[in-house]
Amino acid sequence: MDLTPWPAEFAERYRAAGYWRGESFSAAIRSWADAHGDRVAVVDGDVRRTYRELDARASRFAAGFAARGIAPGDRVVVQLPNTADFFDVVFGLFRLGAVPVFALPAHRESELSYFCRHAEAVALVIPGVHEGFDHGGLVPAVRAAAPSVRHVFTAGDDLGAEPVDLADPGASGLAFLQLSGGSTGLPKLIPRTADDYLYSVRASAGICGLSPASVYLCALPVAHNFPLSSPGVLGVLHAGGTVVMCPRPSPDVAFPLIERERVTITALVPPLALVWLTAAEHTGADLSSLEVLQVGGAKLTADAARRVRPVLGCAVQQVFGMAEGLVNYTRLDDPAEVLEETQGRPISPDDELLVVDDAGAPVPPGGTGHLLTRGPYTIRGYYRAEEHNATAFTPDGFYRTGDLVRITPAGYVVVTGRAKDQINRGGEKIAAEEVENHLLAHPAVHDAAVVAVPDAYLGERTCAFVTLSGDGPVSPAQLRAFVRSRGLAAFKVPDKVQIVDAFPVTGVGKVSRTDLRAALRAHLARES
Ligand code: OOB
């Protein structure tokens, strides 16, 4: 199923509460232009685009896509870095009612082929050469794997055409597909609607105090849910502020932009926040315009949170969110211990959070357990994943986040761990099974299990345990090179490969993959 709808009683409640307004993305973009016309909406190097220009370009790109045979409802995989092109393409698709599928610049042939195939995409938009990598080189393999792809466009192509009349795409259907970090073989696609997503955007902008004076530095990859909508670039456009596209999040690129554009708010993952904290102690750049540093995607230590104000001179805001929906924020006026030691509380009074034990029974208040959630902007099912949905969601529609949490008496979430087979490598999510499958494709590999290892900088990195089939000698370095050669995002290549005679699992019978990974993590903990 493309979109698992919310049951009618929930949809009615969310509409009655004013969360779902029936506004399409196309209409929202037009209303931003009506409200903020000649203000600067997006800055990308020397390019400065006003709200009116963004809106006009969306119409031109929509017409250009339509002229090339792209129709409302068609899926288009979009892999674009942090440039103004992103808005032309994505807003153009929104205006047309076509459905962007948000890939990340780090993705390679393996992921792009899968997205195109699974979504039966008719087109792919790539960046050309980006960070020294020629994305055009991936195209023949992706096309071979996904015959539905009829067009490949490159960033900067002039796709515009004279605007044409287009029907409003509506707000309750599939608007775009986000990527899930995934814990099984391949990332899942997350179907979002304009109704649910724009609610989270508006509410987030309010929580973060955005206004026309806000200047947001987009330093994380723009297509990720955090910089896109929490409140991210869309929240800033809703509020009439200015988005500054940052091509790379390193201090040497970001700090001069903060100084030049008088940036007030930005969002980072914890390892980057640590890099910024170190660099800020020595920088000559003037960072005094910064008011808020949001940190999320992985857990920020209380120590790092405490350093933000003294070193960067701005407030810290913790953000615990997921592309499936639920986003939690510490509030700007929260006391220090809440800002430092919790991951915030939900956006909406209608976000329902349950903390349950392994058997699914609620734990006593304040107890630690599995976080389940449903609400006005949390999906009820992944895209075309019926079988997986049966376990990823409870029968009454709660999404099983895979996160272990406790909730404070004031309703703030503290993330204590994770039950899903995923590695959170500094905010970049890696499904253990996906990497294992690549290792298993090597003839010398008998079995493989990928687990997280604690890392002072990244929080976690990956270690692959491998047993050999006897089919020729192979070294850890060769196995890493083999995985890399399979054309997947570099962050998924195991940081370490350890060849073992046997997995340290005792007892009889067949053990589940999850138990095997747990045994390996325990083995690692004993060794260290
Ligand atoms: C964000 O979204 P995703 O979809 O890349 O990853 C979601 C997962 C969560 O289930 C959790 O395991 C982890 O990332 N996570 C955190 C965290 N924020 C996300 N774990 C601990 N502390 C945090 N602050 O990562 C995302 C989406 C929207 C806003 C912010 C982050």
Side-chain angles (χ1 to χ4, degrees), residues 369-523:
H370 304 266
L371 174 65
L372 312 183
T373 187
R374 68 181 182 189
Y377 59 97
T378 296
I379 58 162
R380 294 294 186 123
Y382 290 105
Y383 179 77
R384 300 184 177 176
E386 232 103 311
E387 206 177 308
H388 182 68
N389 286 341
T391 52
F393 296 82
T394 67
D396 50 2
F398 280 83
Y399 166 57
R400 298 182 204 274
T401 66
D403 293 312
L404 296 174
V405 305
R406 67 183 166 79
I407 298 183
T408 69
Y412 284 75
V413 182
V414 178
V415 181
T416 58
R418 191 178 53 235
K420 53 190 165 189
D421 285 320
Q422 187 182 75
I423 296 99
N424 189 338
R425 192 177 183 278
E428 293 186 302
K429 313 300 175 343
I430 302 163
E433 190 184 321
E434 182 181 355
V435 182
E436 289 164 3
N437 287 342
H438 284 289
L439 283 161
L440 288 169
H442 193 287
V445 171
H446 171 66
D447 204 353
V450 175
V451 297
V453 188
D455 181 88
Y457 165 61
L458 290 168
E460 297 177 3
R461 61 194 154 81
T462 48
C463 179
F465 286 89
V466 172
T467 60
L468 298 184
S469 63
D471 208 358
V474 70
S475 69
Q478 284 168 331
L479 286 176
R480 294 184 73 241
F482 173 74
V483 173
R484 194 183 301 279
S485 75
R486 308 241 328 146
L488 72 172
F491 66 81
K492 295 180 187 168
V493 176
D495 294 296
K496 188 173 175 199
V497 173
Q498 203 168 324
I499 296 173
V500 293
D501 292 336
F503 289 143
V505 180
T506 52
V508 281
K510 195 169 151 47
V511 289
S512 75
R513 307 294 306 168
T514 300
D515 290 343
L516 171 59
R517 295 179 192 116
L520 286 166
R521 278 196 300 274
H523 168 78

Side-chain angles (χ1 to χ4, degrees), residues 27 33 42 54-55 66 89 94 99 105 109 125 145 150-151 167 196 215 293 296 305 324 428 442 469 505:
V42 174
L54 275 196
D55 180 60
V89 169
F94 280 162
V99 176
E109 162 194 335
V125 189
R150 298 195 302 261
H151 303 277
D196 85 78
V215 182
L293 174 66
E324 286 81 357
E428 293 186 302
H442 193 287
S469 63
V505 180

Side-chain angles (χ1 to χ4, degrees), residues 179-181 224-226 230 295-300 318-324 327 343 399 401 403 415 418 420 422 424 427 429:
L179 303 186
S180 115
H224 187 271
N225 202 55
F226 185 15
S230 307
V295 187
K299 190 161 168 171
L300 181 69
Q318 297 213 38
V319 188
F320 162 46
M322 52 208 71
E324 286 81 357
V327 181
Q343 280 63 60
Y399 166 57
T401 66
D403 293 312
V415 181
R418 191 178 53 235
K420 53 190 165 189
Q422 187 182 75
N424 189 338
K429 313 300 175 343

Side-chain angles (χ1 to χ4, degrees), residues 201-217:
V201 164
R202 287 190 309 269
S204 296
I207 288 167
C208 299
L210 298 186
S211 76
S214 299
V215 182
Y216 177 86
L217 187 78

Side-chain angles (χ1 to χ4, degrees), residues 54-66 68 88 92 95 158-164:
L54 275 196
D55 180 60
R57 296 177 70 91
S59 294
R60 290 188 54 81
F61 272 69
F65 286 129
R68 289 167 176 84
D88 290 339
R95 176 133 298 157
D158 183 16
L159 301 175
E162 200 49 42
V164 291

Side-chain angles (χ1 to χ4, degrees), residues 157-210:
D157 284 355
D158 183 16
L159 301 175
E162 200 49 42
V164 291
D165 273 344
L166 294 165
D168 184 86
S172 57
L174 175 63
F176 64 88
L177 291 162
Q178 264 288 6
L179 303 186
S180 115
S183 53
T184 56
L186 287 161
K188 297 283 169 289
L189 298 181
I190 297 172
R192 304 290 304 249
T193 65
D195 264 340
D196 85 78
Y197 209 66
L198 285 171
Y199 165 53
S200 76
V201 164
R202 287 190 309 269
S204 296
I207 288 167
C208 299
L210 298 186

